[in-house]
Amino acid sequence: MTPPAGGPPPVLGLIVNPVAGLGGPVGLGGSDGAAVQRMAQHLGAQPRAGERAALALAELRYRHPEPFRLLTPAGPMGAEAAHSAGLTPLLVHHPAAETSSADTAAAVRALRAAGAQLILFAGGDGTARDLLDADPGCPVLGVPTGVKMHSAVFAVHPRAAGETAAAYLHGLAATAPPVPTPEREILDLDEEAHRAGHLGARLHGQLRVPELPLRIQQRKTGTSAPDPPSTGGIAAELRTFLPPGALLVLGPGSTTQAVAAALGAETSLLGVDLLRREGEGLQTLATGLGVDHLRQQLAGQAPWIALSPTGGQGFLLGRGNQQLSPPLLRAAGRERLLILATEAKLAALGGRPLLLDTGDEALDAELSGHHPVITGFRRRTVYRAQ
């Protein structure tokens, strides 16, 4: 590549955690640990981190056609995604056949030694912690490929990661104003406690992140239970949508769990559950379902789907509910997608939109736009999703 006038081309590092996010679609709540990763693959989970990294690189290349150097580990830890995006990287690390956090640390050290000025990484909160521990020495930017991702170092979508990285490289090459790099929080769940139905994220440190408005996600906030009057009103309104015998797929979270409890159903806090309208309440049919289990349980019937956005972040789809596959969401359609949120939860978003990241860009476009949001009994508002 020919260096741009005025200086050498900027240097981008890339790290892909090939097993990030494996546990989400099969309902395991995370992907930390070799045993969980093997279980996820046994249940049919397919790696998607490389595909999402390639999408981010393609967006970067579209927005930054000027020369830059790309450094990355070999194989699924980066080179494969680079080639998929039409880029030719310089390899700095050759990982083991079964990658681990030690490979991530080795890759960070190699990228730092080779002069990377930004590290783009595809993974989840665990991968972010690995980068923090390895001391990257430059800003980092996450391509979201984990399950929940509480940290504030990720873009809201792979394309947003590519757009942000491109803007940062333009700033390094002095072809555009520099992009600020504030310190953002690295948070992570205790996945053992998570799978046992308990929430508890811990702050592990901070890393510098390029920040474009609305392209970088907020940290996850608000795990305290919503107040019973609010969720009781939402429950009463939800019931008016569901005809007798209707099947309801209920997303995770304290809001949806409290709403189900108000209708007499016991549900999981962090899983996707299947319920049925019985009389004036709901009956729980199955809890903690993955993609295949949901398909088997529904047996071709189109369900209603009730979700609540993640507190502080506003994700409606694609964070902690990857069990809701694009075919299932299309079967339900917009008219059967019910959004539940207290007024306080919506107010905390400060006008930012609800976010969609289903992994299917056409579906994200179909679901974008304004949706009714149930905030209480006979209380609805209209809110934008994108």
Side-chain angles (χ1 to χ4, degrees):
M1 295 181 178
T2 303
V11 183
L12 175 68
L14 171 69
I15 297 174
V16 176
N17 177 356
V19 296
L22 276 181
V26 294
L28 295 182
S31 309
D32 284 356
V36 173
Q37 293 156 14
R38 284 193 289 271
M39 174 63 74
Q41 290 174 316
H42 175 73
L43 293 172
Q46 297 295 319
R48 296 203 63 190
E51 177 185 332
R52 288 170 72 82
L55 181 61
L57 290 174
E59 185 70 20
L60 185 159
R61 192 181 185 212
Y62 168 73
R63 293 179 179 273
H64 188 281
E66 296 83 1
F68 66 92
R69 295 178 66 209
L70 179 61
L71 313 177
T72 191
M77 280 196 69
E80 292 178 1
H83 291 141
S84 293
L87 297 166
T88 302
L90 176 65
L91 303 184
V92 296
H93 174 66
H94 292 268
E98 185 171 329
T99 61
S100 68
S101 57
D103 284 300
T104 302
V108 170
R109 290 192 295 270
L111 291 174
R112 184 177 59 201
Q117 294 168 288
L118 170 68
I119 296 179
L120 190 65
F121 72 98
D125 286 326
T127 314
R129 283 181 59 189
D130 291 338
L131 265 77
L132 175 70
D133 293 342
D135 186 16
C138 68
V140 305
L141 175 59
V143 180
T145 54
V147 177
K148 292 185 72 68
M149 287 166 288
H150 289 195
S151 302
V153 298
F154 294 95
V156 297
H157 186 277
R159 288 196 183 279
E163 180 182 0
T164 304
Y168 188 72
L169 296 188
H170 276 300
L172 291 176
T175 54
V179 174
T181 57
E183 291 193 329
R184 304 292 294 267
E185 301 92 341
I186 306 286
L187 303 168
D188 199 5
L189 284 176
D190 178 340
E191 288 202 3
E192 289 296 326
H194 184 180
R195 280 186 277 273
H198 305 292
L199 283 176
R202 188 161 71 88
L203 175 64
H204 292 271
Q206 295 180 315
L207 288 172
R208 289 187 297 132
V209 177
E211 184 161 285
L212 287 187
L214 302 181
R215 290 354 181 242
I216 307 301
Q217 73 176 39
Q218 304 295 307
R219 59 175 288 179
K220 173 75 168 65
T221 62
T223 57
S224 58
D227 63 284
S230 296
T231 51
I234 293 172
E237 186 69 7
L238 171 65
R239 187 169 49 205
T240 67
F241 283 85
L242 304 175
L247 294 176
L248 175 68
V249 174
L250 190 72
S254 55
T255 300
T256 50
Q257 187 182 46
V259 168
L263 293 172
E266 184 175 347
T267 57
S268 61
L269 176 61
L270 300 168
V272 169
D273 303 336
L274 180 64
L275 304 95
R276 182 169 56 210
R277 167 82 187 268
E278 292 285 352
E280 294 302 306
L282 292 171
Q283 178 186 6
T284 302
L285 301 179
T287 61
L289 298 172
V291 171
D292 287 344
H293 289 136
L294 273 169
R295 184 172 57 246
Q296 293 162 9
Q297 292 277 341
L298 290 169
Q301 301 176 76
W304 295 79
I305 298 175
L307 301 172
S308 190
T310 55
Q313 296 177 318
F315 281 100
L316 187 64
L317 289 164
R319 299 293 185 275
N321 55 20
Q322 291 92 340
Q323 303 94 317
L324 304 176
S325 65
L328 174 63
L329 291 164
R330 285 199 170 92
R334 288 178 69 108
E335 64 277 8
R336 287 176 177 240
L337 180 61
L338 304 175
I339 304 173
L340 319 178
T342 63
E343 292 180 351
K345 189 179 228 183
L346 285 183
L349 295 178
R352 286 179 285 113
L354 302 178
L355 298 172
L356 307 167
D357 185 12
T358 64
D360 181 325
E361 293 189 88
L363 178 59
D364 290 345
E366 292 168 24
L367 295 177
S368 292
H370 289 83
H371 291 258
V373 178
I374 299 173
T375 59
F377 184 53
R378 295 179 179 172
R379 294 181 67 87
R380 303 175 202 170
T381 189
V382 175
Y383 208 91
R384 182 167 59 93
Q386 68 179 36

